[in-house]
Amino acid sequence: MQPSKIKCIGILTSGGDAPGMNAAIRAVTRSAICHGFSVKGIYRGYEGLINGEIKDFTTENVSNIIQTGGTILRTARSKAFETPEGKQQAYDQMVKHGIDALVVIGGDGSLTGARDFAEMFDVPCVGLPGTIDNDLYGTYSTIGYDTTLNTITQCVDKIRDTAHSHERIFFVEVMGRDAGFLAQNSAIAAGAEAAIIPEYITNSDQLVKFMERGIRKSKKSCIVIVSESPKCGAMHYANRVKKEYPQFDVRVSILGHLQRGGSPSAYDRILASRLGVGAIEAIMQGQRNIMIGIRNDEVVYVPLSAAISREKPISQELITVLDELSI
Ligand code: F6P
């Protein structure tokens, strides 16, 4: 599909919702209309594309949403879209509804879907990084990450009050799937004593390291932020402490889905707005199969395949900052 032939842009959100997705939908819609494209909103992610849950979007559809969490387009994790038959149905719906290019807002699973779809059909796909996990390569931040970091920090501030009063150890479990950005940075922001993150779980026994140096005479309470993990989340570490260090009073707090809700921060609204405008600019330039990211405060284009498959490491400097400041 030549850029000059693109008349209609479809937009969908997919995977876990993230605060700022609505700001991104608004930006893509308004920027597209500004440049003379028509816009179609696709409901319930790829599932809705397969089922033809598609509506014409005007600027009014995206009024009064920049400040809201969740996604007005709804979202889903589609198993059907992972199959060639599902992708064929999705393509047929695009043809039926006259959609020439697709903007996908989501995390790595959603952008993997976009990459595979673009390889099967001649459809320009542009991804926007929309996930609280911040685990996409090539962008400093993903839409929703900053808001969630702030939400976690506010929750931990509250937990600290009771931890201090009762002189307890609290293990606070946060989201992030396989990435420790939320845990590491919320630990720094909330002044926690340690973070246990998936990137380092195999390297050493992080609990022993922390217990040996973390609980000092001057500190009777402490907070450890733990990345979610089916095998070794906060409960796992709390149970170990109860067994191995019975002198401590231990509690667990699992923050769960409250981390994904709420009004997006100013940072996420601005990021989503810039990336949304960037997506339309990229489509007009004839770019395809890329993710729009932010690096050094500039909008950048990242090949979808790199965004989803390259590792985004946690910098050693962040580990050092937390280690040094939690003595
Ligand atoms: O990818 C976003 C995320 O919130 C992860 O941090 C978490 O592991 C997962 O989604 C939870 O997914 P669900 O809401 O489907 O349980």
Side-chain angles (χ1 to χ4, degrees), residues 27-52:
V28 171
T29 303
R30 293 211 166 157
S31 178
I33 290 171
C34 222
H35 289 284
F37 296 102
S38 61
V39 178
K40 302 224 175 186
I42 301 159
Y43 286 78
R44 296 179 184 80
Y46 294 121
E47 204 64 20
L49 183 57
I50 290 171
N51 299 327

PDB file of all heavy atoms in Angstrom, residues 27-52:
ATOM      1  N   ALA A  27      -5.099  11.420  20.238  1.00  0.00           N
ATOM      2  CA  ALA A  27      -4.059  12.049  19.421  1.00  0.00           C
ATOM      3  C   ALA A  27      -4.044  11.469  18.005  1.00  0.00           C
ATOM      4  O   ALA A  27      -3.976  12.213  17.018  1.00  0.00           O
ATOM      5  CB  ALA A  27      -2.696  11.854  20.091  1.00  0.00           C
ATOM      6  N   VAL A  28      -4.129  10.138  17.916  1.00  0.00           N
ATOM      7  CA  VAL A  28      -4.113   9.501  16.585  1.00  0.00           C
ATOM      8  C   VAL A  28      -5.325   9.977  15.779  1.00  0.00           C
ATOM      9  O   VAL A  28      -5.212  10.373  14.614  1.00  0.00           O
ATOM     10  CB  VAL A  28      -4.120   7.961  16.719  1.00  0.00           C
ATOM     11  CG1 VAL A  28      -4.321   7.286  15.369  1.00  0.00           C
ATOM     12  CG2 VAL A  28      -2.818   7.470  17.363  1.00  0.00           C
ATOM     13  N   THR A  29      -6.494   9.966  16.425  1.00  0.00           N
ATOM     14  CA  THR A  29      -7.735  10.341  15.726  1.00  0.00           C
ATOM     15  C   THR A  29      -7.668  11.787  15.239  1.00  0.00           C
ATOM     16  O   THR A  29      -7.922  12.076  14.064  1.00  0.00           O
ATOM     17  CB  THR A  29      -8.952  10.172  16.677  1.00  0.00           C
ATOM     18  OG1 THR A  29      -8.965   8.818  17.136  1.00  0.00           O
ATOM     19  CG2 THR A  29     -10.258  10.506  15.996  1.00  0.00           C
ATOM     20  N   ARG A  30      -7.305  12.688  16.137  1.00  0.00           N
ATOM     21  CA  ARG A  30      -7.340  14.108  15.767  1.00  0.00           C
ATOM     22  C   ARG A  30      -6.254  14.445  14.754  1.00  0.00           C
ATOM     23  O   ARG A  30      -6.494  15.203  13.811  1.00  0.00           O
ATOM     24  CB  ARG A  30      -7.203  14.966  17.019  1.00  0.00           C
ATOM     25  CG  ARG A  30      -8.424  14.802  17.907  1.00  0.00           C
ATOM     26  CD  ARG A  30      -8.753  16.026  18.687  1.00  0.00           C
ATOM     27  NE  ARG A  30     -10.097  15.878  19.232  1.00  0.00           N
ATOM     28  CZ  ARG A  30     -10.553  16.526  20.291  1.00  0.00           C
ATOM     29  NH1 ARG A  30      -9.772  17.379  20.915  1.00  0.00           N
ATOM     30  NH2 ARG A  30     -11.778  16.351  20.703  1.00  0.00           N
ATOM     31  N   SER A  31      -5.059  13.868  14.937  1.00  0.00           N
ATOM     32  CA  SER A  31      -3.984  14.161  13.993  1.00  0.00           C
ATOM     33  C   SER A  31      -4.346  13.618  12.607  1.00  0.00           C
ATOM     34  O   SER A  31      -4.125  14.274  11.582  1.00  0.00           O
ATOM     35  CB  SER A  31      -2.681  13.545  14.502  1.00  0.00           C
ATOM     36  OG  SER A  31      -1.659  13.772  13.583  1.00  0.00           O
ATOM     37  N   ALA A  32      -4.924  12.406  12.577  1.00  0.00           N
ATOM     38  CA  ALA A  32      -5.313  11.811  11.289  1.00  0.00           C
ATOM     39  C   ALA A  32      -6.350  12.690  10.584  1.00  0.00           C
ATOM     40  O   ALA A  32      -6.212  12.993   9.392  1.00  0.00           O
ATOM     41  CB  ALA A  32      -5.861  10.409  11.525  1.00  0.00           C
ATOM     42  N   ILE A  33      -7.360  13.116  11.357  1.00  0.00           N
ATOM     43  CA  ILE A  33      -8.425  13.941  10.757  1.00  0.00           C
ATOM     44  C   ILE A  33      -7.842  15.276  10.262  1.00  0.00           C
ATOM     45  O   ILE A  33      -8.165  15.764   9.185  1.00  0.00           O
ATOM     46  CB  ILE A  33      -9.584  14.139  11.761  1.00  0.00           C
ATOM     47  CG1 ILE A  33     -10.308  12.788  11.937  1.00  0.00           C
ATOM     48  CG2 ILE A  33     -10.557  15.220  11.301  1.00  0.00           C
ATOM     49  CD1 ILE A  33     -11.336  12.740  13.046  1.00  0.00           C
ATOM     50  N   CYS A  34      -6.945  15.816  11.070  1.00  0.00           N
ATOM     51  CA  CYS A  34      -6.252  17.065  10.716  1.00  0.00           C
ATOM     52  C   CYS A  34      -5.584  16.959   9.338  1.00  0.00           C
ATOM     53  O   CYS A  34      -5.535  17.926   8.588  1.00  0.00           O
ATOM     54  CB  CYS A  34      -5.169  17.278  11.761  1.00  0.00           C
ATOM     55  SG  CYS A  34      -4.989  18.905  12.324  1.00  0.00           S
ATOM     56  N   HIS A  35      -5.070  15.776   9.033  1.00  0.00           N
ATOM     57  CA  HIS A  35      -4.344  15.579   7.769  1.00  0.00           C
ATOM     58  C   HIS A  35      -5.226  14.973   6.681  1.00  0.00           C
ATOM     59  O   HIS A  35      -4.725  14.509   5.658  1.00  0.00           O
ATOM     60  CB  HIS A  35      -3.110  14.702   8.005  1.00  0.00           C
ATOM     61  CG  HIS A  35      -2.036  15.413   8.771  1.00  0.00           C
ATOM     62  ND1 HIS A  35      -1.223  16.362   8.208  1.00  0.00           N
ATOM     63  CD2 HIS A  35      -1.681  15.345  10.080  1.00  0.00           C
ATOM     64  CE1 HIS A  35      -0.392  16.835   9.131  1.00  0.00           C
ATOM     65  NE2 HIS A  35      -0.653  16.239  10.282  1.00  0.00           N
ATOM     66  N   GLY A  36      -6.525  14.954   6.897  1.00  0.00           N
ATOM     67  CA  GLY A  36      -7.447  14.551   5.835  1.00  0.00           C
ATOM     68  C   GLY A  36      -7.763  13.068   5.756  1.00  0.00           C
ATOM     69  O   GLY A  36      -8.426  12.626   4.816  1.00  0.00           O
ATOM     70  N   PHE A  37      -7.316  12.254   6.722  1.00  0.00           N
ATOM     71  CA  PHE A  37      -7.666  10.827   6.720  1.00  0.00           C
ATOM     72  C   PHE A  37      -9.025  10.639   7.386  1.00  0.00           C
ATOM     73  O   PHE A  37      -9.429  11.443   8.232  1.00  0.00           O
ATOM     74  CB  PHE A  37      -6.648  10.009   7.530  1.00  0.00           C
ATOM     75  CG  PHE A  37      -5.258  10.028   6.959  1.00  0.00           C
ATOM     76  CD1 PHE A  37      -4.268  10.841   7.518  1.00  0.00           C
ATOM     77  CD2 PHE A  37      -4.925   9.237   5.872  1.00  0.00           C
ATOM     78  CE1 PHE A  37      -2.987  10.861   7.004  1.00  0.00           C
ATOM     79  CE2 PHE A  37      -3.635   9.250   5.348  1.00  0.00           C
ATOM     80  CZ  PHE A  37      -2.667  10.062   5.920  1.00  0.00           C
ATOM     81  N   SER A  38      -9.687   9.573   7.041  1.00  0.00           N
ATOM     82  CA  SER A  38     -10.814   9.164   7.884  1.00  0.00           C
ATOM     83  C   SER A  38     -10.293   8.147   8.894  1.00  0.00           C
ATOM     84  O   SER A  38      -9.247   7.521   8.681  1.00  0.00           O
ATOM     85  CB  SER A  38     -11.965   8.591   7.049  1.00  0.00           C
ATOM     86  OG  SER A  38     -11.521   7.452   6.365  1.00  0.00           O
ATOM     87  N   VAL A  39     -11.027   8.012  10.000  1.00  0.00           N
ATOM     88  CA  VAL A  39     -10.552   7.158  11.107  1.00  0.00           C
ATOM     89  C   VAL A  39     -11.651   6.177  11.502  1.00  0.00           C
ATOM     90  O   VAL A  39     -12.831   6.543  11.559  1.00  0.00           O
ATOM     91  CB  VAL A  39     -10.160   8.027  12.337  1.00  0.00           C
ATOM     92  CG1 VAL A  39      -9.727   7.151  13.503  1.00  0.00           C
ATOM     93  CG2 VAL A  39      -9.045   9.004  11.973  1.00  0.00           C
ATOM     94  N   LYS A  40     -11.260   4.943  11.749  1.00  0.00           N
ATOM     95  CA  LYS A  40     -12.215   3.957  12.273  1.00  0.00           C
ATOM     96  C   LYS A  40     -11.684   3.414  13.598  1.00  0.00           C
ATOM     97  O   LYS A  40     -10.514   3.014  13.689  1.00  0.00           O
ATOM     98  CB  LYS A  40     -12.399   2.805  11.292  1.00  0.00           C
ATOM     99  CG  LYS A  40     -12.884   3.317   9.932  1.00  0.00           C
ATOM    100  CD  LYS A  40     -13.980   2.506   9.336  1.00  0.00           C
ATOM    101  CE  LYS A  40     -14.437   3.211   8.049  1.00  0.00           C
ATOM    102  NZ  LYS A  40     -15.571   2.642   7.412  1.00  0.00           N
ATOM    103  N   GLY A  41     -12.545   3.425  14.580  1.00  0.00           N
ATOM    104  CA  GLY A  41     -12.201   2.845  15.882  1.00  0.00           C
ATOM    105  C   GLY A  41     -12.560   1.366  15.889  1.00  0.00           C
ATOM    106  O   GLY A  41     -13.682   0.993  15.527  1.00  0.00           O
ATOM    107  N   ILE A  42     -11.609   0.537  16.255  1.00  0.00           N
ATOM    108  CA  ILE A  42     -11.837  -0.915  16.289  1.00  0.00           C
ATOM    109  C   ILE A  42     -11.938  -1.320  17.759  1.00  0.00           C
ATOM    110  O   ILE A  42     -11.008  -1.060  18.540  1.00  0.00           O
ATOM    111  CB  ILE A  42     -10.667  -1.658  15.600  1.00  0.00           C
ATOM    112  CG1 ILE A  42     -10.535  -1.181  14.144  1.00  0.00           C
ATOM    113  CG2 ILE A  42     -10.864  -3.177  15.673  1.00  0.00           C
ATOM    114  CD1 ILE A  42      -9.174  -1.439  13.528  1.00  0.00           C
ATOM    115  N   TYR A  43     -13.066  -1.931  18.126  1.00  0.00           N
ATOM    116  CA  TYR A  43     -13.317  -2.255  19.538  1.00  0.00           C
ATOM    117  C   TYR A  43     -12.777  -3.632  19.916  1.00  0.00           C
ATOM    118  O   TYR A  43     -12.733  -4.536  19.102  1.00  0.00           O
ATOM    119  CB  TYR A  43     -14.829  -2.176  19.831  1.00  0.00           C
ATOM    120  CG  TYR A  43     -15.288  -0.729  19.894  1.00  0.00           C
ATOM    121  CD1 TYR A  43     -15.495   0.004  18.728  1.00  0.00           C
ATOM    122  CD2 TYR A  43     -15.431  -0.083  21.120  1.00  0.00           C
ATOM    123  CE1 TYR A  43     -15.863   1.345  18.777  1.00  0.00           C
ATOM    124  CE2 TYR A  43     -15.798   1.252  21.173  1.00  0.00           C
ATOM    125  CZ  TYR A  43     -16.005   1.953  20.014  1.00  0.00           C
ATOM    126  OH  TYR A  43     -16.364   3.280  20.067  1.00  0.00           O
ATOM    127  N   ARG A  44     -12.351  -3.759  21.163  1.00  0.00           N
ATOM    128  CA  ARG A  44     -11.875  -5.050  21.735  1.00  0.00           C
ATOM    129  C   ARG A  44     -10.670  -5.630  21.015  1.00  0.00           C
ATOM    130  O   ARG A  44     -10.577  -6.832  20.766  1.00  0.00           O
ATOM    131  CB  ARG A  44     -13.002  -6.073  21.798  1.00  0.00           C
ATOM    132  CG  ARG A  44     -14.092  -5.614  22.752  1.00  0.00           C
ATOM    133  CD  ARG A  44     -15.275  -6.508  22.898  1.00  0.00           C
ATOM    134  NE  ARG A  44     -16.222  -5.827  23.779  1.00  0.00           N
ATOM    135  CZ  ARG A  44     -17.040  -4.857  23.385  1.00  0.00           C
ATOM    136  NH1 ARG A  44     -17.071  -4.456  22.138  1.00  0.00           N
ATOM    137  NH2 ARG A  44     -17.835  -4.264  24.269  1.00  0.00           N
ATOM    138  N   GLY A  45      -9.753  -4.756  20.631  1.00  0.00           N
ATOM    139  CA  GLY A  45      -8.475  -5.203  20.073  1.00  0.00           C
ATOM    140  C   GLY A  45      -8.625  -6.041  18.808  1.00  0.00           C
ATOM    141  O   GLY A  45      -9.545  -5.841  18.003  1.00  0.00           O
ATOM    142  N   TYR A  46      -7.711  -6.998  18.653  1.00  0.00           N
ATOM    143  CA  TYR A  46      -7.730  -7.839  17.445  1.00  0.00           C
ATOM    144  C   TYR A  46      -9.001  -8.679  17.370  1.00  0.00           C
ATOM    145  O   TYR A  46      -9.459  -9.031  16.286  1.00  0.00           O
ATOM    146  CB  TYR A  46      -6.504  -8.759  17.433  1.00  0.00           C
ATOM    147  CG  TYR A  46      -5.192  -8.022  17.300  1.00  0.00           C
ATOM    148  CD1 TYR A  46      -4.203  -8.131  18.275  1.00  0.00           C
ATOM    149  CD2 TYR A  46      -4.931  -7.226  16.191  1.00  0.00           C
ATOM    150  CE1 TYR A  46      -2.995  -7.469  18.148  1.00  0.00           C
ATOM    151  CE2 TYR A  46      -3.722  -6.550  16.054  1.00  0.00           C
ATOM    152  CZ  TYR A  46      -2.755  -6.685  17.043  1.00  0.00           C
ATOM    153  OH  TYR A  46      -1.566  -6.023  16.908  1.00  0.00           O
ATOM    154  N   GLU A  47      -9.552  -8.994  18.545  1.00  0.00           N
ATOM    155  CA  GLU A  47     -10.786  -9.788  18.587  1.00  0.00           C
ATOM    156  C   GLU A  47     -11.901  -9.023  17.867  1.00  0.00           C
ATOM    157  O   GLU A  47     -12.641  -9.587  17.059  1.00  0.00           O
ATOM    158  CB  GLU A  47     -11.144 -10.015  20.069  1.00  0.00           C
ATOM    159  CG  GLU A  47     -11.989 -11.200  20.373  1.00  0.00           C
ATOM    160  CD  GLU A  47     -11.341 -12.543  20.041  1.00  0.00           C
ATOM    161  OE1 GLU A  47     -10.112 -12.622  19.913  1.00  0.00           O
ATOM    162  OE2 GLU A  47     -12.117 -13.498  19.868  1.00  0.00           O
ATOM    163  N   GLY A  48     -11.967  -7.730  18.140  1.00  0.00           N
ATOM    164  CA  GLY A  48     -12.981  -6.884  17.504  1.00  0.00           C
ATOM    165  C   GLY A  48     -12.711  -6.683  16.022  1.00  0.00           C
ATOM    166  O   GLY A  48     -13.652  -6.512  15.234  1.00  0.00           O
ATOM    167  N   LEU A  49     -11.429  -6.705  15.655  1.00  0.00           N
ATOM    168  CA  LEU A  49     -11.097  -6.580  14.230  1.00  0.00           C
ATOM    169  C   LEU A  49     -11.611  -7.819  13.486  1.00  0.00           C
ATOM    170  O   LEU A  49     -12.228  -7.721  12.424  1.00  0.00           O
ATOM    171  CB  LEU A  49      -9.577  -6.428  14.076  1.00  0.00           C
ATOM    172  CG  LEU A  49      -9.050  -6.217  12.657  1.00  0.00           C
ATOM    173  CD1 LEU A  49      -9.688  -4.997  11.991  1.00  0.00           C
ATOM    174  CD2 LEU A  49      -7.524  -6.030  12.663  1.00  0.00           C
ATOM    175  N   ILE A  50     -11.364  -8.975  14.083  1.00  0.00           N
ATOM    176  CA  ILE A  50     -11.833 -10.232  13.466  1.00  0.00           C
ATOM    177  C   ILE A  50     -13.349 -10.239  13.348  1.00  0.00           C
ATOM    178  O   ILE A  50     -13.919 -10.668  12.340  1.00  0.00           O
ATOM    179  CB  ILE A  50     -11.341 -11.439  14.317  1.00  0.00           C
ATOM    180  CG1 ILE A  50      -9.828 -11.594  14.190  1.00  0.00           C
ATOM    181  CG2 ILE A  50     -12.063 -12.726  13.933  1.00  0.00           C
ATOM    182  CD1 ILE A  50      -9.211 -12.615  15.152  1.00  0.00           C
ATOM    183  N   ASN A  51     -14.024  -9.733  14.382  1.00  0.00           N
ATOM    184  CA  ASN A  51     -15.500  -9.776  14.405  1.00  0.00           C
ATOM    185  C   ASN A  51     -16.153  -8.560  13.757  1.00  0.00           C
ATOM    186  O   ASN A  51     -17.381  -8.447  13.763  1.00  0.00           O
ATOM    187  CB  ASN A  51     -15.995  -9.897  15.852  1.00  0.00           C
ATOM    188  CG  ASN A  51     -15.498 -11.180  16.498  1.00  0.00           C
ATOM    189  OD1 ASN A  51     -15.352 -12.191  15.813  1.00  0.00           O
ATOM    190  ND2 ASN A  51     -15.213 -11.130  17.787  1.00  0.00           N
ATOM    191  N   GLY A  52     -15.348  -7.646  13.272  1.00  0.00           N
ATOM    192  CA  GLY A  52     -15.907  -6.464  12.603  1.00  0.00           C
ATOM    193  C   GLY A  52     -16.572  -5.470  13.535  1.00  0.00           C
ATOM    194  O   GLY A  52     -17.519  -4.786  13.152  1.00  0.00           O
TER     195      GLY A  52
END
